Amino acid sequence: MAVAAAPVVPPGTKRRGTKEEVRRGDGKVALGFLTPGALGFLAFTLFPVIASLVMSFFDWPVLGTPTFTGFGNYVELFTTDDTFRTAIVNTLLFVVLYVPVNIVVSMGLAVWISPRIKGRRYYRVLFFIPAVTPMVGNAVVFTLLLTPNGLVDSAMKSWFGVGAPNFLGSSAWAMPAVVLLSVWQGFGYNLLVFSAALDAVPQHLVEAAEIDGAGAFRRFFNVVLPLLSPSIFFATVLTLISSFQVFTQSYVLTGGGPGNSTTTLVMYLYQSGFQFFRLGFASAIAWVLFVFIMIITAVQFIGQKRWVHYDQ
């Protein structure tokens, strides 16, 4: 079988249309497209992150000369600052209450608006509306509902003759009120994730389990739920990260009070930086929070190998 000889190219002659030439051209075009984004990332993300790390080692007032303190801010946080410890406890309490409730509510509603429900697309839109509503607006509405002589208090007085607890003025009820507002605001995203995952569950597996005699609960917990584990893991990671950064809910709804009962880490960071003007101290809080989130996220990724099933 004859083999066609390759064309002879004189030395020093450039080949036009070769892969090497195409790659060089693509690189220049890609560089042109990526440069604005890269400059924005350097200016508005990487530089502030590095600057905050540097500032955390200084006593950095808004006006005046910064003073190098080494790990002084971190030592103060973990040894003498009672408000910081309270903020950690409040943040962990919020995470423990909010994340499971958010996952259960969004999963329950996603199962309820299964394909057998008429008008499920309208339910999806309805349930997603709180997620696109500004948090401040939702907080104002909840303030009107939960404040003394508000809608809830007035309704309980009319129906039962007993007033409602002072949800926003009681240290025992303030955090549950913040969690309730957060669940109302945040369950829509996870509902869409779980609803899409439920649509992707192979029906022949569910039907096979039904033929084998599995009831509705067993089909859901033994067949459907394992298939949803990647989506549950995804939603849990994102919800956990966002819950550690809770700020607006407690800032608008309770102002961190009563006392410090709803002061979270991000809120204490805000107070330190923009009310007490201790920018270095606030930067140290930010980096402690960053390390917390990184450690918990890493633990989640390590642990997901035991319960997340990617094979169908």
Side-chain angles (χ1 to χ4, degrees), residues 64-86:
T65 303
T67 305
F68 181 73
T69 59
F71 289 95
N73 290 326
Y74 295 96
V75 172
E76 180 180 349
L77 282 175
F78 288 100
T79 57
T80 61
D81 195 335
D82 295 333
T83 306
F84 176 69
R85 287 193 284 269
T86 302

Side-chain angles (χ1 to χ4, degrees), residues 6 25 81 84 90 101 192 206 237 239 251 258 285 292 294 298 306:
D81 195 335
F84 176 69
N90 291 338
V101 174
L192 291 186
V206 181
V237 170
T239 306
Y251 181 77
I285 298 174
F292 279 169
M294 288 296 294
R306 297 186 176 182

Side-chain angles (χ1 to χ4, degrees), residues 113-142:
I113 58 171
S114 62
R116 288 174 294 184
I117 296 295
K118 291 183 179 180
R120 62 189 304 247
R121 66 180 67 178
Y122 303 108
Y123 284 115
R124 281 180 174 177
V125 174
L126 181 65
F127 290 140
F128 194 68
I129 287 177
V132 297
T133 306
M135 178 64 79
V136 175
N138 284 332
V140 171
V141 172
F142 269 70

Side-chain angles (χ1 to χ4, degrees), residues 142-167:
F142 269 70
T143 302
L144 297 176
L145 291 174
L146 301 178
T147 192
N149 297 322
L151 182 61
V152 174
D153 188 38
S154 301
M156 289 192 66
K157 288 178 180 176
S158 301
W159 294 340
F160 307 107
V162 179
N166 188 358
F167 294 104

Side-chain angles (χ1 to χ4, degrees), residues 14-307:
K14 294 184 177 179
R15 292 186 177 183
R16 307 190 64 177
T18 61
K19 291 183 179 179
E20 182 180 358
E21 186 177 4
V22 172
R23 287 176 180 173
R24 289 178 179 174
D26 289 347
K28 293 179 181 177
V29 174
L31 182 63
F33 280 106
L34 291 175
T35 297
L39 292 177
F41 173 78
L42 292 174
F44 299 110
T45 301
L46 187 60
F47 175 74
V49 168
I50 296 176
S52 68
L53 179 61
V54 173
M55 291 172 65
S56 69
F57 297 106
F58 285 81
D59 181 8
W60 198 300
V62 175
L63 300 175
T65 303
T67 305
F68 181 73
T69 59
F71 289 95
N73 290 326
Y74 295 96
V75 172
E76 180 180 349
L77 282 175
F78 288 100
T79 57
T80 61
D81 195 335
D82 295 333
T83 306
F84 176 69
R85 287 193 284 269
T86 302
I88 290 179
V89 173
N90 291 338
T91 303
L92 292 177
L93 178 61
F94 176 84
V95 172
V96 170
L97 294 176
Y98 169 69
V99 175
V101 174
N102 182 299
I103 297 297
V104 171
V105 170
S106 54
M107 176 65 76
L109 290 174
V111 172
W112 180 60
I113 58 171
S114 62
R116 288 174 294 184
I117 296 295
K118 291 183 179 180
R120 62 189 304 247
R121 66 180 67 178
Y122 303 108
Y123 284 115
R124 281 180 174 177
V125 174
L126 181 65
F127 290 140
F128 194 68
I129 287 177
V132 297
T133 306
M135 178 64 79
V136 175
N138 284 332
V140 171
V141 172
F142 269 70
T143 302
L144 297 176
L145 291 174
L146 301 178
T147 192
N149 297 322
L151 182 61
V152 174
D153 188 38
S154 301
M156 289 192 66
K157 288 178 180 176
S158 301
W159 294 340
F160 307 107
V162 179
N166 188 358
F167 294 104
L168 306 181
S170 167
S171 58
W173 286 98
M175 184 58 76
V178 173
V179 172
L180 181 63
L181 168 61
S182 303
V183 172
W184 172 259
Q185 174 82 27
F187 78 91
Y189 285 110
N190 289 339
L191 181 144
L192 291 186
V193 172
F194 295 147
S195 182
L198 284 168
D199 291 345
V201 171
Q203 288 304 307
H204 67 274
L205 297 178
V206 181
E207 292 170 359
E210 187 176 5
I211 293 173
D212 290 340
F217 285 97
R218 193 169 182 183
R219 289 199 303 272
F220 178 76
F221 285 103
N222 290 1
V223 179
V224 176
L225 203 58
L227 296 175
L228 298 181
S229 57
S231 300
I232 296 174
F233 172 68
F234 172 78
T236 303
V237 170
L238 294 188
T239 306
L240 200 63
I241 292 175
S242 64
S243 62
F244 270 99
Q245 301 171 350
V246 57
F247 168 71
T248 308
Q249 298 92 316
S250 56
Y251 181 77
V252 177
L253 199 62
T254 62
N260 290 325
S261 58
T262 56
T263 299
T264 60
L265 279 174
V266 177
M267 189 165 184
Y268 187 45
L269 183 157
Y270 169 81
Q271 292 173 341
S272 300
F274 300 102
Q275 292 182 355
F276 307 138
F277 304 113
R278 300 183 64 188
L279 299 183
F281 192 73
S283 299
I285 298 174
W287 275 93
V288 170
L289 177 61
F290 173 76
V291 172
F292 279 169
I293 293 176
M294 288 296 294
I295 292 175
I296 292 175
T297 304
V299 170
Q300 285 183 290
F301 272 88
I302 294 173
Q304 56 102 14
K305 297 177 183 177
R306 297 186 176 182
W307 65 276

